[in-house]
Amino acid sequence: MLDLFADAEPWQEPLAPGAVILRRFALARAPALFDGIDRVAARSPFRHMVTPGGYTMSVAMTNCGRLGWATNARGYVYAHHDPQTGSPWPPMPEVFQALCHAAAVAAGYDDFVPDACLINRYAEGAKLSLHQDKDEPDLRAPIVSVSLGLPAVFQFGGLQRSDPLKRLMLEHGDVVVWGRESRLYYHGIQPLKPGIHPLTGAFRYNLTFRQAAHRE
Ligand code: SIN
Ligand code: FE2
């Protein structure tokens, strides 16, 4: 099939105040990012975390960077060590940092320096219910979210759970950046449809870069 976008430059779509979609922004670096995911997962494997309420998440997760996000009986925490291996989370691959920096600048967040990267892996049917990213103490920093592999429907709402939702397909190489006015907007991922992607097989991967520590 003729792919009209195969050679296209990335393009931007405004999403909300402070939020933008950078279409295909990560495409050129996708194979290197996928290698990076492999290297991280070799040290800190993907696992299905259990919420404080006892619900096993359908999305498999791991982390890299100085801090990693995890669940425990009391809630959600950022910690330096992987609770499963007892070792520090693997370092953030350089290609992750480079991509994140370029995307943040393109979105108008020039001074974003992430110290945590949550890696989500979606298999068929996996979803992420509507939530806010609110475990980070410094809300001046945006979230940079990179989609790889199979497409998924992203929901993006407002400050209230009941606010109307935009539904957008996120595809391989798309990057979403949200901050400032929309930093605490509700968002989620609808159940993944089955498929096979040339790079990632039966999965969708998502990297979310965060600043999880206070900045001096
Ligand atoms: C997230 O909300 O942390 C991940 C969103 C996504 O998988 O695109
Ligand atoms: Fe989120």
Side-chain angles (χ1 to χ4, degrees):
M1 202 175 76
L2 180 66
D3 185 348
L4 293 172
F5 295 103
D7 300 317
E9 290 295 306
W11 68 99
Q12 299 200 6
E13 293 172 12
L15 177 61
V20 64
I21 310 180
L22 309 174
R23 293 287 187 189
R24 313 298 187 266
F25 193 88
L27 200 51
R29 278 188 266 221
L33 293 168
F34 190 57
D35 272 0
I37 294 174
D38 259 356
R39 276 180 279 130
V40 169
R43 289 173 58 175
S44 275
F46 282 99
R47 78 292 305 265
H48 293 272
M49 296 184 187
V50 179
T51 67
Y55 168 80
T56 300
M57 300 181 76
S58 60
V59 179
M61 297 177 169
T62 185
N63 290 274
C64 61
R66 239 166 42 73
L67 289 163
W69 184 90
T71 59
N72 69 22
R74 292 183 305 280
Y76 306 108
V77 290
Y78 280 103
H80 292 95
H81 286 72
D82 176 348
Q84 185 167 305
T85 63
S87 299
W89 292 105
M92 217 182 275
E94 288 207 352
V95 60
F96 283 33
Q97 299 181 43
L99 186 273
C100 178
H101 177 70
V105 169
Y109 294 95
D110 291 27
D111 58 355
F112 178 46
V113 182
D115 53 17
C117 176
L118 173 66
I119 307 176
N120 294 319
R121 187 184 69 194
Y122 297 76
E124 176 181 347
K127 65 177 168 68
L128 205 55
S129 307
L130 216 53
H131 66 278
Q132 296 170 293
D133 290 358
K134 59 176 184 193
D135 301 323
E136 302 73 27
D138 188 340
L139 296 172
R140 291 173 301 178
I143 302 284
V144 172
S145 163
V146 180
S147 293
L148 296 173
L150 291 179
V153 178
F154 182 58
Q155 305 171 313
F156 201 74
L159 283 174
Q160 308 298 325
R161 186 179 284 280
S162 56
D163 284 341
L165 297 173
K166 287 187 176 154
R167 288 187 177 77
L168 314 123
M169 189 67 95
L170 292 183
E171 294 184 64
H172 182 59
D174 288 350
V175 179
V176 187
V177 182
W178 65 94
R180 301 190 191 112
E181 301 94 322
S182 54
R183 177 60 181 74
L184 288 177
Y185 278 18
Y186 276 89
H187 58 278
I189 291 284
Q190 291 184 359
L192 193 81
K193 295 267 197 317
I196 297 292
H197 186 275
L199 181 66
T200 67
F203 299 104
R204 169 179 188 261
Y205 292 85
N206 171 262
L207 313 173
T208 45
F209 294 93
R210 299 113 187 273
Q211 182 196 315
H214 278 289
R215 196 178 55 182
E216 294 78 47

